[in-house]
Amino acid sequence: MDWLTTVDHKKIGILYLIAGGFFFLVGGLEALLIRIQLWKPLNDFVSADTYNELITMHGTTMIFLAAMPMLFALMNAVVPLQIGARDVAFPFVNALGFWTFFFGAVLLNVSWFTSTGAPAAGWTAYAPLSGPAFSTGHGMDYYVLGLQIAGIGTLIGGINFLVTIINMRAPGMTFMRMPMFTWASFITSALILFAFPALAVGLAALMFDRIFDANFFDPNNGGNAVLWEHIFWIFGHPEVYILILPAFGVISEVISTFSRKRLFGYSSMVFATILIGFLGFMVWAHHMFTTGLGPVANALFSIATMLIAVPTGIKIFNWIFTMWGGSIKFTSANLYAVGFIPTFVMGGVTGVMLAAAPADFQYHDTYFVVAHFHYVIVGGLILGIFSGLHYWWPKMFGRILNETLGKWTFWIFYIGFHLTFFIQHFLGLLGMPRRIWTYLDGLGFNEMNLISTIGAIMMGIGTIMFILNVVITNAKPQNAADDPWEDGRTLEWTIPSPPPEYNFKQTPLVRGYDAYWKEKMDGHKGMTPAEPIGSIHMPSPSILPFTMSLGLFITGFGLMYSRDWTFITEHIGFYVAGLGLLITFGSMFLRSVYDDHGFHIEPEELEDKGVKA
Amino acid sequence: MSTHSHADGHLPHEPEKATLEGRNKVLGFWLFLGGETVLFGTLFSAFLALRHQVLDGPQPSELFKLSLVAAATAILLTSSLTSVFAIQALHNHNVKALINWLIVTVVLGLGFLGLEIYEFYHYVHEGHGFTTSAFSSSFYTLVGFHGAHVAFGIFWISSIIGQLMKKGLTVVTAPKVYVAGMYWHFIDVVWVFIFTVVYLMGKVV
């Protein structure tokens, strides 16, 4: 019950981690089934329909239900601590964001258990394939409504982090003293704010097409299928940077800490991050070169895409220069961070190849593309998340993950990853198309697909080892020091692990970049407080975020079956949808009418430990 | 009723920005409006892409009655002015005037919504249903989203009026009023674009 009503950012971070981790396993299982199907030619392990469902759900799950929540987990756990805040700006909204994500994710996955099956039009849901004419049954309805509900959570989460970072920094924490992870979270949140509403409109239009017979994307009724591609990718390309920027932030923190050096070129890192965020919105049509937009559009989007390599290159070199001459400690967290650099560079290089429009006509829809984006997303984002989890685990849970097991996990996962995806570049160049259920013998695809499948199984073993590590660590006593790596540079390492409910007994005074490190170098034991010890105002827990999201879940369900359910009267689904909306709006009304005054923690109570998990 | 206890001296000039919670709300709402801008921008793009696809349905030029739309526009823009008066009353700590101006704003909003419902009803009778063509789908989606925003704003401001009557003007209620005012202006600005892009361009081209 405590976990259903919590508004504490650290607990919400843990909730995001558990839910996101669960869907990472689901998405990983889907990936393994895909790889088992492709391990030999003319395999019939799964049917063609099931295969389409698997690739659709694998992409959707990994991007929206695994990667983003795990990033939100790290952002929730760390950002308020890094800027010296007691909580996020809107704790209630933070909880609401988690629960809408959770119920959206559950709704999407319920589709597996229905008679018409999961969505099967690809994670990009290209119209008119995703429209009512081609995707009969309810699979795509689950996609549209599940993502819509989950998207609300992401959007309000993004706004929350923006306000938190702008308004709630500790005294002295200027923008140009903010840790890189906080900066990356800030830019990511801005991208969420400007990208997700476009997706919301696209999904709403597709829902109207599917449920209310609108004509947005149906060419027979004057609709325009390319319109869907534009709307999807004006969201979808920034989404790539929404995913990768926080990973960049993690890498910056980890490499700097374990090299015992200030991050090289901090201000250029900040501006590179901003520039990447900006250019992320200028390049969406490179996904559509082969749609036939014409040479002018292709040339412009081609150049804009290649431009992103410049700020990314700045970041890569700064990480290398940070390590240069540092006294590097290869902890598990740092192994992931160092392993990230060459992997991400390889993903970036194939990105530039794909950005050349004429070359893209060759690569398009082959395994070369699959290899490219898995190098970026798994080799970039997932390694970044693993790095961040190992790095901040003691801060989140008060226990250090087992280092030996962590290093084994890294090597198995890392080798498995390269085995899976490096070879797919060549499969693509040989002409193996993506999104196909099986392939013929004698095309030269057999051995490479087998190697790729073996690599995928290794990644699965690595993931299981990580879970094992979590279980083993969880059985140990909660005894991590405040600064367990002993080289912590930022504010989160100045408070106990795990932090108490109120984070900082006294708001710290920040006197420079790498605030804690600066105090250490000046010979101080801890931060200078910026305020006397006093009573601390805390928000009260609330069940309303849960009920609001539950209402949306019921609404989504009702809308989908608005035409099927007739057992009492016609259109019973609409009544169910109405009931759901009533629950949601009723909860919103209650929230607005009853002011939440919260409670105070008095100075004499300031001793208890907060998060337990 | 608690007007007097919170009269000048207790409340700062801008009570909506007196607390960190208030400042967070106002900033967060500005950002939210940034997201809303993208939302309506995408709806406008979809409408612009599809507005010539009328199929068998009526043309926009024979459908739209500009006099009706002009009246709705005048009503909505006036409601923006009255919401400014409400915020001025907020800054003068005049709860009575604040509530009255908010009520005027809500009434004008209801007037606009009534005209829009009549307009849609009329169009459907002219053979311009939601499913008639890509033009009609995108028209009803864009204008309907705006109308839903107006309806939501009416409920929202009404519930704030209720809170002001019960709790008076405090540092808790002031940011709510201020933020609702921002929302109402945003709706008006969107309508100016709808008036231009949907109705005027529909008449011309």
Side-chain angles (χ1 to χ4, degrees):
Chain A
M1 193 63 196
D2 192 25
W3 290 90
L4 295 185
T5 60
T6 184
V7 293
D8 178 7
H9 71 94
K10 297 172 287 297
K11 285 189 170 181
I12 291 171
I14 291 171
L15 285 172
Y16 266 119
L17 183 62
I18 295 170
F22 172 74
F23 287 112
F24 183 69
L25 295 182
V26 173
L29 190 67
E30 284 153 2
L32 280 174
L33 294 175
I34 292 168
R35 279 317 320 168
I36 291 171
Q37 163 63 22
L38 292 175
W39 77 277
K40 65 172 188 183
L42 294 170
N43 199 0
D44 57 358
F45 173 67
V46 294
S47 71
D49 283 338
T50 312
Y51 185 83
N52 285 343
E53 292 174 9
L54 283 173
I55 57 163
T56 304
M57 286 301 280
H58 167 67
T60 312
T61 303
M62 282 304 198
I63 300 251
F64 292 100
L65 315 181
M68 295 209 58
M70 287 198 284
L71 290 174
F72 267 64
L74 289 179
M75 283 157 75
N76 262 302
V78 177
V79 167
L81 305 182
Q82 280 197 331
I83 61 171
R86 292 240 160 80
D87 206 331
V88 291
F90 309 109
F92 180 91
V93 173
N94 202 15
L96 180 61
F98 170 75
W99 287 112
T100 45
F101 144 67
F102 180 77
F103 278 108
V106 171
L107 186 64
L108 193 49
N109 276 280
V110 165
S111 63
W112 280 115
F113 305 104
T114 60
S115 55
T116 50
W123 86 275
T124 53
Y126 279 161
L129 180 61
S130 55
F134 294 98
S135 285
T136 51
H138 287 296
M140 283 314 293
D141 297 334
Y142 279 98
Y143 174 93
V144 167
L145 289 160
L147 282 192
Q148 187 73 279
I149 294 170
I152 296 170
T154 312
L155 182 63
I156 58 183
I159 292 176
N160 206 344
F161 281 117
L162 284 170
V163 178
T164 306
I165 294 171
I166 294 173
N167 268 2
M168 300 187 53
R169 284 166 290 128
M173 175 69 76
T174 60
F175 270 102
M176 291 311 280
R177 285 177 182 174
M178 251 161 40
M180 256 341 274
F181 180 69
T182 301
W183 254 113
S185 305
F186 184 62
I187 303 298
T188 283
S189 304
L191 297 190
I192 288 173
L193 176 62
F194 293 116
F196 267 74
L199 176 69
V201 170
L203 291 174
L206 188 57
M207 180 192 91
F208 288 167
D209 270 15
R210 291 187 59 84
I211 297 176
F212 302 115
D213 297 321
N215 309 306
F216 281 97
F217 306 121
D218 178 8
N220 293 328
N221 291 322
N224 188 336
V226 179
L227 179 64
W228 167 265
E229 291 192 41
H230 279 295
I231 294 177
F232 186 83
W233 286 116
I234 190 78
F235 145 78
H237 202 82
E239 168 73 10
V240 177
Y241 296 99
I242 291 169
L243 293 173
I244 200 63
L245 287 179
F248 283 179
V250 172
I251 303 302
S252 301
E253 302 285 327
V254 171
I255 284 189
S256 165
T257 299
F258 293 115
S259 302
R260 291 172 54 89
K261 269 182 73 191
R262 187 187 206 269
L263 183 67
F264 187 91
Y266 169 77
S267 43
S268 68
M269 287 298 237
V270 170
F271 288 108
T273 309
I274 296 170
L275 197 57
I276 292 172
F278 175 74
L279 288 174
F281 280 97
M282 304 288 140
V283 303
W284 81 89
H286 74 217
H287 296 267
M288 302 160 66
F289 284 155
T290 58
T291 305
L293 301 178
V296 176
N298 282 6
L300 287 174
F301 281 100
S302 184
I303 292 165
T305 306
M306 291 181 191
L307 271 181
I308 295 188
V310 176
T312 313
I314 291 175
K315 296 189 82 88
I316 300 279
F317 279 109
N318 281 338
W319 288 320
I320 294 172
F321 288 140
T322 305
M323 288 191 282
W324 190 301
S327 62
I328 304 177
K329 274 196 228 166
F330 283 104
T331 58
S332 329
N334 203 26
L335 276 181
Y336 282 106
V338 174
F340 164 97
I341 295 174
T343 316
F344 191 80
V345 168
M346 288 164 75
V349 168
T350 51
V352 176
M353 293 168 76
L354 288 166
D360 184 68
F361 275 70
Q362 293 300 316
Y363 306 137
H364 189 75
D365 263 348
T366 70
Y367 262 78
F368 190 84
V369 177
V370 178
H372 158 69
F373 67 68
H374 281 93
Y375 259 79
V376 175
I377 293 179
V378 183
L381 167 75
I382 297 298
L383 290 183
I385 286 176
F386 272 128
S387 176
L389 285 178
H390 281 86
Y391 181 57
W392 281 306
W393 200 271
K395 189 49 70 186
M396 288 176 80
F397 297 100
R399 300 175 177 95
I400 300 184
L401 285 171
N402 186 307
E403 276 291 301
T404 320
L405 199 52
K407 285 170 188 167
W408 274 98
T409 310
F410 167 75
W411 285 112
I412 289 176
F413 189 87
Y414 196 67
I415 294 169
F417 162 75
H418 283 284
L419 220 49
T420 313
F421 295 110
F422 188 70
I423 207 136
Q424 290 184 359
H425 291 106
F426 300 100
L427 273 175
L429 294 175
L430 281 176
M432 178 165 161
R434 68 193 274 208
R435 296 178 174 135
I436 49 126
W437 165 54
T438 190
Y439 51 92
L440 293 173
D441 199 4
L443 297 172
F445 298 160
N446 302 9
E447 291 77 14
M448 291 196 220
N449 270 303
L450 179 61
I451 293 171
S452 188
T453 302
I454 293 170
I457 291 169
M458 278 179 76
M459 289 169 78
I461 295 171
T463 310
I464 292 169
M465 284 174 71
F466 178 76
I467 295 168
L468 200 68
N469 197 349
V470 170
V471 173
I472 293 173
T473 306
N474 204 42
K476 298 245 174 77
Q478 218 172 8
N479 59 0
D482 294 6
D483 183 11
W485 308 112
E486 293 165 6
D487 295 318
R489 310 176 72 84
T490 39
L491 286 179
E492 73 267 31
W493 307 111
T494 62
I495 52 174
S497 312
E501 207 182 346
Y502 45 82
N503 297 350
F504 294 88
K505 195 181 288 183
Q506 290 165 289
T507 304
L509 180 68
V510 176
R511 301 194 303 139
Y513 174 65
D514 277 347
Y516 187 31
W517 189 257
K518 180 169 172 51
E519 301 293 331
K520 284 180 187 171
M521 289 302 107
D522 290 352
H524 300 166
K525 281 252 178 280
M527 301 301 297
T528 314
E531 58 172 17
I533 292 181
S535 88
I536 296 170
H537 180 234
M538 302 298 295
S540 336
S542 169
I543 191 71
L544 292 177
F546 182 84
T547 54
M548 278 184 201
S549 314
L550 182 69
L552 289 176
F553 179 81
I554 296 170
T555 306
F557 232 177
L559 275 181
M560 260 184 268
Y561 290 97
S562 51
R563 291 181 184 169
D564 309 50
W565 292 345
T566 47
F567 44 87
I568 302 174
T569 161
E570 288 279 298
H571 299 312
I572 196 161
F574 285 126
Y575 295 106
V576 175
L579 173 75
L581 280 181
L582 206 65
I583 296 174
T584 300
F585 281 113
S587 306
M588 283 170 74
F589 182 75
L590 286 178
R591 165 69 182 168
S592 101
V593 171
Y594 294 104
D595 287 322
D596 164 31
H597 294 295
F599 61 96
H600 284 83
I601 300 179
E602 299 305 327
E604 50 273 16
E605 301 171 65
L606 291 178
E607 293 308 327
D608 68 316
K609 282 224 168 188
V611 182
K612 299 212 170 44
Chain B
M1 64 186 152
S2 52
T3 324
H4 300 293
S5 60
H6 286 293
D8 297 1
H10 293 285
L11 270 183
H13 173 61
E14 289 184 335
E16 74 276 8
K17 291 173 186 162
T19 60
L20 178 63
E21 282 79 15
R23 287 195 298 279
N24 282 348
K25 263 190 189 158
V26 173
L27 175 65
F29 205 79
W30 274 110
L31 295 169
F32 171 74
L33 291 184
E36 288 267 87
T37 308
V38 176
L39 185 108
F40 277 104
T42 315
L43 287 169
F44 273 107
S45 314
F47 175 79
L48 285 173
L50 301 174
R51 72 192 187 99
H52 295 300
Q53 306 295 330
V54 295
L55 300 184
D56 302 334
Q59 292 280 345
S61 49
E62 57 196 43
L63 194 65
F64 296 150
K65 301 275 178 296
L66 272 191
S67 52
L68 182 74
V69 183
T73 307
I75 291 174
L76 198 65
L77 291 189
T78 311
S79 78
S80 219
L81 181 68
T82 58
S83 76
V84 172
F85 290 151
I87 299 298
Q88 282 186 336
L90 167 81
H91 286 163
N92 295 331
H93 303 161
N94 188 342
V95 187
K96 203 163 175 248
L98 169 60
I99 291 175
N100 287 339
W101 281 120
L102 286 181
I103 291 174
V104 175
T105 306
V106 166
V107 170
L108 289 171
L110 282 170
F112 171 84
L113 209 57
L115 282 183
E116 187 157 86
I117 290 168
Y118 169 75
E119 187 196 357
F120 281 8
Y121 175 80
H122 175 71
Y123 289 164
V124 171
H125 277 259
E126 302 264 307
H128 180 66
F130 184 67
T131 59
T132 308
S133 62
F135 159 66
S136 71
S137 296
S138 60
F139 169 82
Y140 282 115
T141 306
L142 171 60
V143 182
F145 254 69
H146 177 268
H149 273 72
V150 174
F152 183 80
I154 288 170
F155 280 115
W156 186 11
I157 297 178
S158 306
S159 87
I160 288 176
I161 292 171
Q163 290 178 54
L164 284 172
M165 285 174 170
K166 219 171 99 187
K167 296 169 190 163
L169 188 59
T170 66
V171 289
V172 177
T173 50
K176 294 185 179 184
V177 177
Y178 192 80
V179 160
M182 285 166 64
Y183 177 83
W184 199 255
H185 288 311
F186 175 78
I187 291 176
D188 268 23
V189 172
V190 171
W191 180 258
V192 172
F193 281 92
I194 290 180
F195 183 67
T196 314
V197 171
V198 177
Y199 292 100
L200 290 185
M201 278 170 63
K203 273 296 190 193
V204 173
V205 189

